[in-house]
């Protein structure tokens, strides 16, 4: 299976996946559309249509409503047919609805992704979209769900990754609408220089025994990209099987390829990071740079990448003025530029930390594109302090939120459960649980064959909380 296809299965895309879920769950493939204003809080009252899917297979009168959103991805039926909320719906008689986020997939307030259009991509607007949907669903359930649902149905919001942010914020901002939230791997805390991403990946490599050699390979790459001649750079690019880009763009491309498997779920039988990264270092007498070259080439081959797709992935000048809709990466980049930063950089040299990506992947790699893509009105750098003051602090003291994070999650240090301690206190009403040995949002993904006991435990705790919330 291609890397992108596998990760899409994990994330919930509508592709052929082999998994351990109940094969009797029917596909809920009918898209529905809900009208929303372009700007809930301004003068642009034009409307657009927000896409959603419904799975009422397991609903019984008196049952709850489970709301899910793919967040920074396009919506597919897997979000109502193939994730943990659907499994839980079978035992709690719930209706499951998945709602696409504004400016992703087919849900676009304006028909382009220019900077002037994306000004309406705000946290306030996104949350009010979901709140407006829930209000309408509770007041006119038959119109929204095409089936009879109690107007008094309890609502629980689920989300993994950025959609976990949405789940937690919905509970904090609309506690009368949302009875509880399951926020898995929610990157709620903004950091400008998010070099902890790199360090979390290193912790995974350390657990698998190849961190030192991998870091040595990155140092060898930097010897060329930072100090080598133009001919040396071209020779390195040929050795690694990547196109001829600028040294900094080459560094950025390699950092993306390095971590392509890092969010794949770990089971008792399989770790994709070992199979596709560490195996080249641990089972070889090759020099680190030669083992690295084999690993990079294997990723490129397994995912069927072409020179064009690699250029698109690595060239920071690619598509600057491509404003077409359904470019999740462009919308996500805008959110980084204007909301929370979290630029995935190498650690500063003064830190003394090992590096698992090139030192050229720094703020100067990310920030200039904010204005190049979206215009001079985008402030550089993004005010992460203001974001945290408003959107992280709003979660303090809020009940009925379940925060989870994998110990090997590359986004862990942007979540509540960081590697150095919890940023919010764990409490009986809003527990914080670290899933030992797990990666990104494993508890809300599809059930895996040979699943980790820690993932099963996280789901058991969450299921009990949901049952309590919906009583």
């Amino acid at each position: 299976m291609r890397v992108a296809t596998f990760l899409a299965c994990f994330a919930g895309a509508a592709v052929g996946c082999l998994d351990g879920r109940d094969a009797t769950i029917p596909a809920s493939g009918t898209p529905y559309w809900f009208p929303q204003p372009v700007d809930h809080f301004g003068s642009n009252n034009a409307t657009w249509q927000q896409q959603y899917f419904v799975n009422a297979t397991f609903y019984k009168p008196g049952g709850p409503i489970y709301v899910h959103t793919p967040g920074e991805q396009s919506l597919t039926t897997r979000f109502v047919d193939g994730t943990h909320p659907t499994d839980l719906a079978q035992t709690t008689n719930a209706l499951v609805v998945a709602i696409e986020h504004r400016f992703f997939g087919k849900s676009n307030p304006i028909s382009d992704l220019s900077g002037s259009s994306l000004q309406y991509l705000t946290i306030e607007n996104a949350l009010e979209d979901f709140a407006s949907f829930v209000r309408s669903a509770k007041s006119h359930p038959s119109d929204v769900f095409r089936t009879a649902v109690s107007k008094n149905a309890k609502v629980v919001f689920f989300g993994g990754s950025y959609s976990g942010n949405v789940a937690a914020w919905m509970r904090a901002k609309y506690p009368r609408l949302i009875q509880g939230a399951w926020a898995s791997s929610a990157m709620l805390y903004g950091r400008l220089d998010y070099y902890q991403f790199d360090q979390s990946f290193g912790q995974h490599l350390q657990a698998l025994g190849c961190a030192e050699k991998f870091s040595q390979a990155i140092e060898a790459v930097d010897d060329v990209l930072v100090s080598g001649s133009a001919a040396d750079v071209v020779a390195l690019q040929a050795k690694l099987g990547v196109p001829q880009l600028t040294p900094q763009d080459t560094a950025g491309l390699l950092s993306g390829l390095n971590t392509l498997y890092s969010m794949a779920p770990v089971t008792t039988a399989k770790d994709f990071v070992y199979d596709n990264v560490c195996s080249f270092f641990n089972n070889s007498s090759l020099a680190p740079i030669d083992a690295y070259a084999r690993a990079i080439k294997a990723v490129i081959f397994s995912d069927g990448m072409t020179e064009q797709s690699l250029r698109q992935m690595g060239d920071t000048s690619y598509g600057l003025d491509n404003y077409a809709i359904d470019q999740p990466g462009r919308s996500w980049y805008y959110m980084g530029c204007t909301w929370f930063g979290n630029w995935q950089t190498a650690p500063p040299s003064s830190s003394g930390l090992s590096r698992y990506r090139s030192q050229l992947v720094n703020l100067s790699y990310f920030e200039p594109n904010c204005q190049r893509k979206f215009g001079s009105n985008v402030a550089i750098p993004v005010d992460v302090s203001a974001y945290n003051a408003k959107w992280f602090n709003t979660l303090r003291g809020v009940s009925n939120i379940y925060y989870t994070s994998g110990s090997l999650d590359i986004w862990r240090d942007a979540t509540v459960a960081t590697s150095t301690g919890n940023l919010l206190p764990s409490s009986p009403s809003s527990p914080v649980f670290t899933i030992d040995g797990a990666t990104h949002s494993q508890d809300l993904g599809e059930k895996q064959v040979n699943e980790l006991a820690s993932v099963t435990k996280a789901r058991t705790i969450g299921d009990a909380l949901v049952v309590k919330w919906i009583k």
Side-chain angles (χ1 to χ4, degrees), residues 174-228:
Y174 303 98
R176 294 185 179 181
L177 281 180
I178 308 299
Q179 277 64 57
W182 188 326
S184 174
S185 293
M187 57 270 280
L188 288 157
Y189 194 80
R191 302 177 189 270
L192 189 61
D193 249 325
Y194 185 43
Y195 64 83
Q196 292 87 348
F197 182 101
D198 188 60
Q199 295 302 294
S200 294
F201 179 59
Q203 290 172 12
H204 198 161
L205 299 180
Q206 288 169 11
L208 298 172
C210 77
E212 183 176 0
K213 289 184 177 179
F214 191 96
S215 183
Q216 290 170 356
I218 297 301
E219 291 176 4
V221 167
D222 267 1
D223 286 344
V224 176
L225 294 182
V226 175
S227 305

Side-chain angles (χ1 to χ4, degrees), residues 136-355:
S136 293
K138 289 178 74 69
S139 61
H140 300 92
S142 296
D143 293 338
V144 174
F145 296 130
R146 279 40 172 202
T147 190
V149 176
S150 170
K151 293 183 178 181
N152 297 319
K154 301 292 182 66
V155 180
V156 178
F157 212 114
F158 295 79
S161 195
Y162 160 66
S163 65
N165 294 33
V166 174
W169 289 331
M170 287 298 295
R171 170 60 187 165
K173 188 170 176 62
Y174 303 98
R176 294 185 179 181
L177 281 180
I178 308 299
Q179 277 64 57
W182 188 326
S184 174
S185 293
M187 57 270 280
L188 288 157
Y189 194 80
R191 302 177 189 270
L192 189 61
D193 249 325
Y194 185 43
Y195 64 83
Q196 292 87 348
F197 182 101
D198 188 60
Q199 295 302 294
S200 294
F201 179 59
Q203 290 172 12
H204 198 161
L205 299 180
Q206 288 169 11
L208 298 172
C210 77
E212 183 176 0
K213 289 184 177 179
F214 191 96
S215 183
Q216 290 170 356
I218 297 301
E219 291 176 4
V221 167
D222 267 1
D223 286 344
V224 176
L225 294 182
V226 175
S227 305
S229 66
D232 291 337
V233 172
V234 170
L236 176 66
Q237 291 165 335
K239 182 182 183 71
L240 300 177
V242 298
Q244 294 182 21
L245 302 169
T246 68
Q248 190 171 45
D249 281 359
T250 298
L253 171 61
L254 292 173
S255 69
L257 295 173
N258 290 348
T259 56
L260 199 58
Y261 290 95
S262 58
M263 291 198 292
V266 174
T267 70
T268 59
K270 194 170 188 63
D271 187 323
F272 279 78
V273 171
Y274 180 82
D275 292 347
N276 298 283
V277 181
C278 284
S279 63
F280 292 97
F281 292 89
N282 293 357
N283 297 329
S284 173
S285 59
L286 295 172
I289 187 60
D290 295 321
Y292 182 71
R294 289 194 178 185
I296 291 295
K297 287 180 176 178
V299 169
I300 293 170
F301 175 79
S302 64
D303 203 46
M305 294 182 180
T306 63
E307 180 171 345
Q308 181 180 355
S309 64
L310 288 168
R311 284 188 178 278
Q312 183 176 351
M313 181 177 178
D315 187 350
T316 51
S317 66
Y318 186 93
L320 289 176
D321 56 355
N322 179 5
Y323 304 145
I325 60 173
D326 199 12
Q327 296 184 80
R330 186 178 181 89
S331 299
W332 180 247
Y333 209 100
Y334 181 84
M335 291 159 70
C337 293
T338 59
W339 295 11
F340 42 62
N342 281 333
W343 304 121
Q344 298 148 41
T345 57
S349 56
S350 59
S351 69
L353 296 170
S354 297
R355 286 187 292 104

Side-chain angles (χ1 to χ4, degrees), residues 37-47 110 119-120 125:
V38 171
D39 190 357
H40 288 279
F41 308 101
S43 59
N44 192 335
N45 296 318
T47 59
I110 299 177
Q119 67 176 302
Y120 301 110
N125 271 328

